[in-house]
Amino acid sequence: MIMLEPRDQPSRLMQWLSPLLAVALTVLCGVLFFSYLGLEVKGAFYVFFIEPVSSMYGVGELLLKASPLCLIALGLAVGYRANIWNIGAEGQMVLGGIFGTYAAMYWLALPSYLLIPAILLMSILGGLLWAGIVAALKNWFNANELLTSLMLVYISFQLLLQVMTGTQENLALLQDPNGAGFPISPLFEMKAMLPMFSELNWSLWSTTRMHVGIFITLLFIPVMWLLVNRSFLGYQMLVAGQAPAAAAYSGFNQKKLVWTCLLISGGMAGLAGGLEMIGPNGQLQASWKPGYGFAAIIVAFVGRLQPIGIAIASLILSITYLGGESAQSSLSLPKSITLLFQGCLLFFLLACDLFIQFRLKWKPKNQQKTVGA
Amino acid sequence: MINIIKKPLLQLKNISKVYPSVVANDQINLVIEPGEIHAVLGENGAGKSTLMKMIYGVSQPTVGDIFWQGKQVSIPNPATARKMGIGMVFQHFALFETLTVVENVALALEASEFNLSVLANKIEEVSERYGLPINPYQSVHSLSVGERQRVEIVRCLLQDPKLLIMDEPTSVLTPQAVQTLFKTLRKLSSEGCAILYISHKLDEIQTLCHSAMVLRHGKVTGHANPQQETASSLAQMMIGQALPEVKKAQKTFTEVRLSVDGLTTKSASQFETALSNINLKVHGGEIVGIAGVSGNGQNELVKYISGELTGSSQANNVVIMDTPVDGKNCAQRRELGLVFVPEERLGRGAVPVLDLKYNALLTGYSKNMLTGGAIKWIKPKKLQEFTDSCIEDNDVRCGGRDAIAKSLSGGNLQKFIVGRELALSPKVVLVSQPTWGVDVGAASFIRQELIDLASTGAAVLVISEEIEELFEICDTLYVISEGQLSPATAATDTTVSEIGLWMAGMWPDGPATLATNDNTAAQAQGV
């Protein structure tokens, strides 16, 4: 009989092995899946995992998608370490997009070197606002942040429709006056857009859509590492997450921690939304559902809630997006293949995480003594 | 003693229990005759509970044989143990607070016996016979701790046990209630029921038990007739050395450093105790003790002083170092010179999964360990030095500053926490249950630390259930009962039995005397 036996101490090896195992199991699952569909496995794998990054353009796309995932997950991880479960980064990102678009449309009088920071600050503000609602509800009314943050995602989609859909005569706030009533914003002016690598004459990247926004993400990796591992605030969050009574005993202000964690994650999700707007998107559309806000939850966990791990995990998740797209075009598989792989990854990760606290043990079945008296 | 069966009731042969990191029991041999009251003596962590769990079927021995009435058996689960005639009263009761006594008892019985009114009669019958008065229809949440223990005992007795295991039964009782319990146990023994009595209290074992087995580090270090041993010879077997004596210092009291003035609170739920007009004062250099059976408001009082709970009916009724602290949180109170050792070590006084460095930081951060303005950064070097000195100065046995808090034994972790708090040069020290679950050696070390600290001028407030401990170290005593605090009395002016009566609420104008004026002695027995 196979038994699960609790370990004395959580296994450090499994802590790092678990995400790798999860990736391996996801790949294995893909093999079974492809062969069940009658596809040639090797070819399907090439299409899914290799082809998307076989060109410089592909590498650029990989980084373009990894960047918001990484940025959002870095923020989420801070809260998760403190047991504060913001799962509504998607909504905070949408708010960031809306606020950023407002600035990009109406503040064009500003010079470019002020306009871009203003757009990004506005998008941060949008994320802060949306996450701030969650924090206020939690602190003032003891409302569970899992529920409120998730519900606010759907409200954010409604809000997006609200500011994007009007008629030609009666335009909505962010609607393009020359857009024939379509629910889209105008294409942003060049001065509102982040400079692209190709415009900077970086010849290696000339074929890509890469823009300087990625440097913001790269900057946040060491900043968040310091915050999490070297600051007293990061320590307080860890204590509040691991032992709330100890945090109260020490006198940490728990309400302030709730505000801090949610505002950090919300602000970073909002920033990611703004970067999407004035980076690859260049325009806001009513149908915008980025998806990064939810996928970033997986990134945070696969990355073990540590900034370096998150950076790596964001690349792994990013490839499931690209692979999904190329599988659509080359293998005629549905778009949901991306979600399938993401789901598998999270599922296997959670399953493998069990072995951090437990180990498997064989137990012989037959014991020969009499039972009872 | 009645000896119907010639064979021993229970015999353990070379029982060992091996856990991945520790040998909890190493080749234990034990023989129990019917009607015998057999003590198992040992410090916390000596392996007493592990052994009892194997007898009661909660866990299985790694090696070794169990014989019951001469036949070799294995006991796969507690249900089997109960069928065989083994009952156990755990240290932490397993009762459902929202159910009545009879419903709780019914839960442990076979479904076929489920007839509440018949069962209620049985409970009354058994409880009268053994002097354990109890109302079968009362809800458990309204029972005192002593009464809850009676429910547990009656529940075992209903199954006609041949062997009753009692795990530290007196840790929650007043001295008078202990005497009542002993009467019951002696009656049971005279009827042929054997009792395995687990304790680390030497005097109890000497008055009650016929024979004793002493455990240390999972091994049997001796068998003894406790009536022929002295407390110190038993202690020697238990801890491997003579008991260290705590030295008291010359006393001079200075100004009032901590005062509580008319603190009255409401309970947030039925499981909390409301405090009623609490008044107390602690001077510099003084050690003040608060005795009481657990659950009488100690937790709430401690939290109102530490700052974990704030806001009461009246403002400014807790004053630390002449500063009213109403509305100030724990950290702000610490800045005034308060330190605090809570009764829960894991999860409150320390974070179980973090290492000792990060546990030192929990309250030690004020000792110049942070730098920076809006965002504060940790100074790793200062933190390491502070942690190392906490470990070295207090003889904390551990794997160094990187050891995880929950890997330490209870006594060592408590020494670390006490050391951390006392290293903050406190002006006022609040300590709750300083030696709960702590081995004898560490306990006397901690008591000595408190006495030494008071002699340097600090005000010390100790809340404890162990009366002997309070008499050993305190200058002034209070007793808490049902959320009310007795008047202060000098430790030299009172006796253990007077404090015992007070623990039942029977000081002049105490909660028990207000309820009933006559029959007070019987009341005291009842708690």
Side-chain angles (χ1 to χ4, degrees):
Chain A
M1 203 166 39
I2 302 174
M3 304 257 298
L4 275 177
E5 187 186 70
R7 296 178 192 266
D8 309 331
Q9 285 196 2
S11 158
R12 282 193 164 241
L13 178 70
M14 272 313 291
Q15 231 147 19
W16 289 104
L17 210 57
S18 171
L20 299 179
L21 267 177
V23 170
L25 285 167
T26 306
V27 169
L28 183 69
C29 206
V31 170
L32 295 175
F33 180 72
F34 288 142
S35 55
Y36 174 76
L37 288 177
L39 296 167
E40 196 246 318
V41 172
K42 219 172 130 191
F45 261 89
Y46 180 79
V47 168
F48 204 92
F49 293 106
I50 310 296
E51 192 184 77
V53 287
S54 60
S55 65
M56 226 29 226
Y57 172 80
V59 173
E61 291 301 298
L62 181 78
L63 294 174
L64 265 183
K65 290 196 156 53
S67 174
L69 284 172
C70 180
L71 192 57
I72 297 171
L74 285 173
L76 290 179
V78 169
Y80 293 171
R81 288 166 69 93
N83 245 346
I84 292 166
W85 301 101
N86 176 8
I87 58 169
E90 181 83 356
Q92 291 139 23
M93 186 176 184
V94 167
L95 261 281
I98 294 173
F99 273 55
T101 299
Y102 179 86
M105 273 175 73
Y106 291 105
W107 295 355
L108 287 169
L110 291 172
S112 188
Y113 63 90
L114 285 181
L115 179 59
I116 288 173
I119 293 169
L120 294 181
L121 284 176
M122 273 295 277
S123 58
I124 290 172
L125 186 70
L128 289 181
L129 177 77
W130 225 231
I133 297 174
V134 177
L137 289 172
K138 184 173 174 68
N139 273 341
W140 299 342
F141 303 106
N142 205 19
N144 187 314
E145 74 280 10
L146 271 170
L147 298 175
T148 54
S149 65
L150 183 62
M151 289 194 285
L152 279 164
V153 172
Y154 300 102
I155 299 175
S156 76
F157 291 150
Q158 297 304 315
L159 189 73
L160 179 62
L161 280 179
Q162 201 62 218
V163 295
M164 294 304 295
T165 46
T167 58
Q168 184 71 53
E169 297 75 38
N170 194 4
L171 285 171
L173 181 67
L174 301 180
Q175 213 168 355
D176 183 2
N178 306 317
F182 278 102
I184 49 173
S185 77
L187 286 170
F188 302 138
E189 305 260 332
M190 275 308 287
K191 65 186 290 198
M193 296 287 288
L194 289 168
M196 286 176 60
F197 286 6
S198 51
E199 292 160 13
L200 297 170
N201 292 324
W202 295 354
S203 55
L204 182 62
W205 302 91
S206 58
T207 55
T208 69
R209 299 195 297 147
M210 289 289 288
H211 59 86
V212 297
I214 193 156
F215 294 119
I216 294 181
T217 302
L218 289 176
L219 179 71
F220 266 100
I221 295 171
V223 167
M224 295 313 274
W225 187 88
L226 281 174
L227 184 79
V228 162
N229 294 306
R230 287 284 178 267
S231 78
F232 193 53
L233 184 65
Y235 168 74
Q236 287 180 312
M237 290 170 180
L238 190 60
V239 172
Q242 297 289 351
Y249 159 78
S250 175
F252 300 161
N253 186 334
Q254 309 228 33
K255 292 197 166 172
K256 205 166 123 191
L257 284 181
V258 169
W259 279 110
T260 313
C261 287
L262 280 166
L263 291 182
I264 287 176
S265 54
M268 289 173 74
L271 177 60
L275 289 172
E276 278 296 283
M277 283 303 109
I278 59 171
N281 287 19
Q283 177 185 39
L284 182 60
Q285 303 189 356
S287 59
W288 187 48
K289 286 194 170 65
Y292 294 133
F294 291 126
I297 300 170
I298 308 177
V299 173
F301 279 105
V302 174
R304 307 279 84 175
L305 306 183
Q306 276 288 350
I308 311 287
I310 285 169
I312 297 166
S314 65
L315 293 171
I316 297 172
L317 257 279
S318 174
I319 202 145
T320 63
Y321 280 106
L322 299 181
E325 277 166 19
S326 82
Q328 277 177 68
S329 56
S330 303
L331 303 173
S332 329
L333 291 175
K335 193 186 173 193
S336 46
I337 183 129
T338 300
L339 287 173
L340 184 114
F341 274 105
Q342 290 180 357
C344 278
L345 186 58
L346 183 62
F347 175 81
F348 285 126
L349 180 77
L350 294 177
C352 292
D353 275 358
L354 183 76
F355 297 105
I356 296 172
Q357 301 289 348
F358 293 86
R359 69 172 131 234
L360 281 178
K361 206 186 166 186
W362 281 102
K363 202 178 175 184
K365 234 180 181 175
N366 47 334
Q367 284 179 329
Q368 288 168 352
K369 285 173 199 167
T370 49
V371 170
Chain B
M1 222 189 289
I2 308 162
N3 250 331
I4 306 165
I5 308 158
K6 293 274 164 53
K7 287 168 188 157
L9 178 70
L10 175 75
Q11 189 173 11
L12 305 182
K13 277 191 185 163
N14 292 320
I15 292 277
S16 294
K17 178 74 185 177
V18 182
Y19 287 110
S21 62
V22 69
V23 180
N25 282 158
D26 192 0
Q27 306 217 354
I28 309 275
N29 288 293
L30 175 67
V31 177
I32 297 171
E33 305 291 341
E36 183 183 11
I37 304 183
H38 195 112
V40 177
L41 186 62
E43 294 190 289
N44 285 79
K48 293 170 297 184
S49 295
T50 308
L51 188 62
M52 294 311 120
K53 280 182 189 161
M54 285 188 285
I55 297 174
Y56 193 57
V58 177
S59 59
Q60 313 305 318
T62 317
V63 223
D65 300 310
I66 302 177
F67 295 86
W68 178 254
Q69 296 177 330
K71 266 184 268 172
Q72 186 172 6
V73 293
S74 81
I75 308 169
N77 52 50
T80 312
R82 283 196 292 267
K83 262 187 220 148
M84 290 161 61
I86 301 175
M88 180 156 179
V89 177
F90 287 93
Q91 192 177 1
H92 304 285
F93 306 143
L95 296 172
F96 291 94
E97 303 242 344
T98 50
L99 300 182
T100 62
V101 170
V102 61
E103 285 164 344
N104 265 291
V105 172
L107 280 173
L109 299 179
E110 298 283 319
S112 57
E113 298 170 45
F114 199 86
N115 182 333
L116 287 187
S117 61
V118 172
L119 191 57
N121 288 339
K122 267 198 204 165
I123 291 174
E124 278 182 334
E125 190 189 317
V126 169
S127 66
E128 261 168 50
R129 203 165 102 215
Y130 292 100
L132 302 162
I134 202 128
N135 173 2
Y137 294 108
Q138 206 172 346
S139 292
V140 165
H141 71 78
S142 66
L143 298 180
S144 72
V145 184
E147 287 170 322
R148 286 175 198 209
Q149 188 180 52
R150 281 184 215 156
V151 178
E152 289 267 3
I153 298 174
V154 167
R155 181 155 79 177
C156 288
L157 294 186
L158 280 174
Q159 294 161 354
D160 294 321
K162 299 185 185 76
L163 172 66
L164 187 61
I165 305 172
M166 309 276 306
D167 190 1
E168 307 261 356
T170 59
S171 60
V172 292
L173 301 179
T174 65
Q176 284 81 2
V178 168
Q179 291 311 314
T180 319
L181 174 70
F182 282 6
K183 267 188 209 157
T184 306
L185 295 183
R186 286 197 185 99
K187 186 166 165 64
L188 273 169
S189 148
S190 71
E191 292 174 1
C193 177
I195 292 162
L196 254 176
Y197 189 90
I198 306 167
S199 182
H200 62 261
K201 293 185 181 168
L202 306 171
D203 53 329
E204 285 178 4
I205 284 169
Q206 285 186 298
T207 49
L208 182 72
C209 300
H210 306 128
S211 49
M213 175 175 85
V214 187
L215 285 180
R216 174 150 45 98
H217 302 318
K219 286 186 183 150
V220 177
T221 52
H223 291 274
N225 180 341
Q227 273 128 7
Q228 288 169 4
E229 299 285 335
T230 62
S232 68
S233 68
L234 284 173
Q236 188 126 19
M237 280 194 248
M238 194 160 88
I239 63 172
Q241 60 192 35
L243 265 181
E245 261 179 52
V246 175
K247 293 182 212 88
K248 277 207 180 185
Q250 280 299 84
K251 290 287 171 181
T252 39
F253 299 160
T254 55
E255 78 286 357
V256 174
R257 293 192 162 192
L258 167 69
S259 70
V260 179
D261 182 18
L263 179 70
T264 300
T265 67
K266 285 190 190 124
S267 55
S269 75
Q270 63 185 23
F271 306 115
E272 260 178 40
T273 309
L275 300 175
S276 155
N277 194 24
I278 302 271
N279 294 290
L280 71 88
K281 279 186 175 53
V282 190
H283 300 83
E286 185 184 26
I287 303 184
V288 173
I290 299 182
V293 175
S294 72
N296 272 287
Q298 291 96 327
N299 257 328
E300 291 78 6
L301 178 58
V302 161
K303 285 186 173 177
Y304 274 103
I305 296 175
S306 75
E308 286 161 288
L309 280 173
T310 52
S312 57
S313 59
Q314 238 177 299
N316 299 341
N317 31 29
V318 178
V319 179
I320 296 170
M321 300 305 292
D322 295 325
T323 310
V325 293
D326 219 60
K328 287 198 195 308
N329 71 18
C330 297
Q332 290 162 325
R333 293 180 193 205
R334 286 174 179 281
E335 281 165 23
L336 297 171
L338 174 76
V339 300
F340 168 39
V341 180
E343 70 267 29
E344 295 146 301
R345 287 183 275 279
L346 286 174
R348 190 159 157 210
V351 185
V353 294
L354 295 185
D355 62 25
L356 292 182
K357 286 196 307 287
Y358 280 132
N359 273 301
L361 188 62
L362 191 63
T363 60
Y365 64 86
S366 57
K367 268 227 148 181
N368 190 25
M369 273 176 221
L370 302 179
T371 172
I375 295 181
K376 296 211 161 38
W377 305 98
I378 300 161
K379 295 186 195 165
K381 212 158 190 182
K382 290 270 179 214
L383 177 57
Q384 285 178 10
E385 285 166 16
F386 180 77
T387 313
D388 288 346
S389 72
C390 283
I391 293 170
E392 278 155 29
D393 299 351
N394 298 288
D395 186 31
V396 177
R397 314 248 168 95
C398 63
R401 58 179 177 242
D402 296 323
I404 289 174
K406 71 175 175 187
S407 73
L408 270 65
S409 73
N412 278 310
L413 185 57
Q414 182 73 340
K415 283 198 279 186
F416 180 78
I417 294 173
V418 170
R420 175 188 74 195
E421 296 299 299
L422 300 195
L424 300 174
S425 352
K427 299 191 175 86
V428 181
V429 184
L430 172 62
V431 191
S432 182
Q433 312 294 356
T435 59
W436 230 359
V438 167
D439 59 80
V440 183
S444 54
F445 180 85
I446 288 166
R447 289 175 195 144
Q448 189 65 54
E449 292 256 280
L450 293 175
I451 288 171
D452 293 348
L453 191 76
S455 68
T456 65
V460 182
L461 178 61
V462 184
I463 286 116
S464 177
E465 283 174 12
E466 305 233 8
I467 305 186
E468 293 80 8
E469 169 172 272
L470 292 175
F471 272 96
E472 190 180 341
I473 62 173
C474 294
D475 308 302
T476 311
L477 289 175
Y478 291 87
V479 176
I480 192 166
S481 175
E482 295 178 36
Q484 297 183 37
L485 199 66
S486 74
T489 172
T492 45
D493 293 348
T494 183
T495 61
V496 171
S497 66
E498 186 184 38
I499 294 296
L501 280 177
W502 285 19
M503 281 164 75
M506 298 192 330
W507 63 83
D509 297 328
T513 50
L514 292 175
T516 49
N517 288 319
D518 51 4
N519 243 345
T520 46
Q523 274 275 325
Q525 304 271 315
V527 170

